[in-house]
């Protein structure tokens, strides 16, 4: 499996520089948790880590008038890896598009060139009761990896608005966004998907809308051509509407799902919900091998529970595990964090998002810090 980051060029004892982007809402709380876990790994595995914080999102807008200050971009691009909390909230919802926290997120993804967004979604057996799926379906499990294209497509395509007068004399406003991909953009993310599939269950599903969209037909052609180089990987194709349905019917049948930017955004929330809680899903966003990766939980800033110490930090802690694996090339440390997260779930620790599942197991109710300490205790 490829790794990403500046580390490969350094000697193994060198300090690894991690930029933390706490952001908004529950972002600062979950980042503080993940930092404690990374610091514990630094001790246990004798890896010198240095942390720098930088501003992003609404917090950055409030501090300096821009949701993505240039200083943040410079720091992130010079780091070995970047760990982000979440951005956004009602306070900034009415700002014009370019000043909204979400545009900072798209901006940092683009500036860092992280075109490959990996979103693993798992039904942990300990949490099968938390899945909204029928018990017999959830019992068969789910362990899939969404490979989402992250720096192209409709998120970044030409867009605009104009006032037009219709032939009947009616004055209306028209708006458009454009889905545009070239074969190089498709090929590089598809390569990640094929290589990931090869290291997993060797099954790749391209999700598209090739019955309607020309861009989807280009995805199919490109993936079909690439498939010749990966004869061990079984490739199939699903229209996105059907994929949304099949994920609910037979989540256990999927291995790697390859998607465009928007389809991956939508299906990863669905997969998160199937896994039991969006508070569990990490993500890694990767680009060229010598550039830093960007790691973030897939959940949002959850303004309704921000500042209350309730947020589930596991998605961010698991994102830190991906950071250890992909950017710092420390698979052992990554596996230790993942094993500790599994162990806390097995032991019954639950933040609020995972209680009330109807399961009969006794639960140890915890908040953000309690969950963090439980993970730390299993990590030692
Ligand atoms: C995600 C989020 C973002 C996206 C938003 C906040 C811009 O939903 O990371 O899934 O659409 O990529
Ligand atoms: Mg999303």
């Amino acid at each position: 499996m490829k790794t990403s980051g500046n580390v490969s060029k350094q000697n193994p004892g060198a300090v690894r520089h991690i930029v933390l982007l706490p952001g908004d809402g529950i972002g600062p709380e979950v980042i503080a948790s993940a930092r404690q876990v990374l610091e514990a790994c630094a001790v246990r595995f004798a890896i010198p880590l240095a942390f720098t914080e930088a501003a992003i999102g609404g917090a950055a807008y409030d501090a300096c008038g821009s949701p993505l200050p240039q200083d943040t971009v410079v720091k992130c691009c010079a780091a070995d890896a970047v760990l982000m909390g979440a951005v956004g909230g009602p306070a900034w919802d009415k700002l014009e598009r370019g000043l909204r926290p979400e545009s900072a997120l798209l901006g940092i993804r683009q500036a860092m060139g992280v075109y490959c967004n990996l979103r693993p979604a798992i039904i942990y057996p300990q949490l099968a009761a938390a899945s909204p799926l029928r018990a017999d379906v959830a019992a068969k499990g789910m362990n899939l990896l969404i490979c989402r294209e992250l720096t192209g497509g409709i998120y970044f395509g030409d867009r605009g608005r104009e006032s037009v007068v219709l032939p009947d004399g009616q004055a209306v406003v028209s708006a458009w966004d454009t889905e545009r991909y070239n074969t190089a953009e498709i090929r590089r993310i598809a390569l990640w998907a094929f290589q990931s599939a090869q290291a997993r269950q060797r099954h790749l599903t391209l999700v598209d809308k090739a019955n309607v969209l020309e861009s989807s037909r280009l995805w199919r052609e490109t993936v079909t051509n690439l498939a010749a180089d990966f004869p061990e990987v079984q490739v199939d194709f699903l229209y996105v509407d059907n994929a949304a349905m099949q994920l609910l019917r037979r989540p256990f049948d999927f291995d790697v799902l390859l998607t465009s930017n928007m389809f991956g955004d939508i299906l990863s929330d669905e997969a998160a919900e199937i896994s039991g809680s969006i508070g569990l899903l990490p993500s890694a966003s990767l680009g060229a091998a010598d550039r830093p990766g960007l790691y973030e939980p897939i959940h949002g800033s959850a303004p309704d529970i921000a500042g209350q110490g309730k947020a589930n930090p596991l998605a961010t802690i698991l994102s830190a595990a991906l950071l250890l694996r992909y950017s710092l090339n420390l698979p052992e440390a990554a596996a230790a964090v993942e094993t500790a997260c599994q162990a806390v779930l097995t032991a019954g620790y639950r933040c609020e998002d995972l209680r009330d599942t109807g399961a009969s197991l006794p639960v140890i109710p915890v908040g953000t810090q309690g969950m963090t300490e439980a993970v730390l205790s299993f990590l030692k």
Side-chain angles (χ1 to χ4, degrees), residues 119 148 265 268-269 298:
R119 298 188 160 185
R148 169 191 178 196
D265 177 46
S268 58
D269 270 25
I298 85 152

Side-chain angles (χ1 to χ4, degrees), residues 118-189:
L118 301 176
R119 298 188 160 185
I122 298 170
I123 296 183
Y124 295 106
Q126 307 93 305
L127 293 177
S131 172
L133 295 188
R134 218 175 52 217
D136 61 309
V137 181
K140 291 192 186 165
M142 169 176 81
N143 188 338
L144 58 84
L145 179 70
I146 296 179
C147 281
R148 169 191 178 196
E149 199 290 325
L150 200 62
T151 53
I154 198 164
Y155 275 55
F156 294 92
D158 176 53
R159 71 177 100 239
R161 277 185 186 227
E162 67 186 7
S163 299
V164 286
V165 179
L166 299 179
D168 66 1
Q170 201 190 152
V172 293
V173 177
S174 149
W176 66 96
D177 301 272
T178 319
E179 175 85 338
R180 188 181 185 115
Y181 275 110
N182 64 47
T183 42
E185 289 172 304
I186 301 168
R187 204 170 178 279
R188 64 184 184 178
I189 177 76

Side-chain angles (χ1 to χ4, degrees), residues 10-345:
Q10 300 173 347
N11 73 60
V15 176
R16 307 0 177 20
H17 294 276
I18 297 174
V19 170
L20 302 173
L21 302 175
D24 307 319
I26 60 171
E29 300 160 59
V30 294
I31 285 293
S33 295
R35 178 178 182 154
Q36 293 172 61
V37 171
L38 285 170
E39 281 168 345
C41 287
V43 174
R44 173 165 161 193
F45 295 93
I47 345 153
L49 297 182
F51 297 93
T52 312
E53 282 202 8
I56 195 166
Y61 175 79
D62 289 347
C64 67
S66 161
L68 184 58
Q70 188 55 27
D71 170 68
T72 297
V73 175
V74 170
K75 281 181 177 150
C76 289
C77 291
D80 287 304
V82 179
L83 183 63
M84 203 194 79
V87 294
W92 307 284
D93 272 353
K94 296 213 162 60
L95 292 172
E96 63 175 81
R97 200 170 50 82
L99 293 177
R100 287 181 59 121
E102 291 80 2
S103 73
L105 182 53
L106 302 190
I108 195 67
R109 288 171 177 170
Q110 194 174 43
M112 293 178 68
V114 287
Y115 61 84
C116 170
N117 183 220
L118 301 176
R119 298 188 160 185
I122 298 170
I123 296 183
Y124 295 106
Q126 307 93 305
L127 293 177
S131 172
L133 295 188
R134 218 175 52 217
D136 61 309
V137 181
K140 291 192 186 165
M142 169 176 81
N143 188 338
L144 58 84
L145 179 70
I146 296 179
C147 281
R148 169 191 178 196
E149 199 290 325
L150 200 62
T151 53
I154 198 164
Y155 275 55
F156 294 92
D158 176 53
R159 71 177 100 239
R161 277 185 186 227
E162 67 186 7
S163 299
V164 286
V165 179
L166 299 179
D168 66 1
Q170 201 190 152
V172 293
V173 177
S174 149
W176 66 96
D177 301 272
T178 319
E179 175 85 338
R180 188 181 185 115
Y181 275 110
N182 64 47
T183 42
E185 289 172 304
I186 301 168
R187 204 170 178 279
R188 64 184 184 178
I189 177 76
L191 256 178
W192 266 99
F194 273 105
Q195 285 167 353
S196 303
Q198 205 153 31
R200 295 170 48 101
Q201 303 302 311
R202 301 195 192 89
H203 178 197
L204 185 155
T205 304
L206 173 66
V207 175
D208 63 27
K209 191 69 187 173
N211 49 348
V212 178
L213 303 178
E214 192 56 31
S215 53
S216 285
R217 280 197 276 275
L218 190 62
W219 275 78
R220 278 205 186 197
E221 280 163 38
T222 309
V223 167
T224 304
N225 290 339
L226 208 55
D229 298 341
F230 295 89
E232 322 76 17
V233 176
Q234 178 203 330
V235 181
D236 46 39
F237 304 92
L238 277 185
Y239 299 140
V240 61
D241 48 350
N242 189 18
M245 193 164 74
Q246 300 304 328
L247 265 179
L248 298 177
R249 294 179 71 104
R250 48 181 186 95
F252 45 84
D253 262 353
F254 295 97
D255 180 24
V256 174
L257 293 175
L258 171 61
T259 74
S260 64
N261 203 341
M262 186 159 70
F263 294 162
D265 177 46
I266 298 167
L267 291 185
S268 58
D269 270 25
E270 183 184 351
E273 187 55 31
I274 291 173
S275 80
S277 168
I278 198 159
L280 291 173
L281 258 72
S283 82
S285 304
L286 308 168
D290 60 349
R291 295 197 64 188
L294 170 66
Y295 300 82
E296 44 174 317
I298 85 152
H299 62 65
S301 60
D304 53 321
I305 58 162
Q308 299 174 32
K310 285 181 184 173
N312 185 348
L314 287 178
T316 313
I317 293 173
L318 289 166
S319 299
L322 296 179
L323 180 157
L324 291 165
R325 176 171 297 120
Y326 291 117
S327 282
L328 303 192
N329 198 13
L330 296 166
E332 217 189 312
V337 172
E338 286 162 350
T339 304
C341 289
Q342 289 251 24
V344 297
L345 294 173

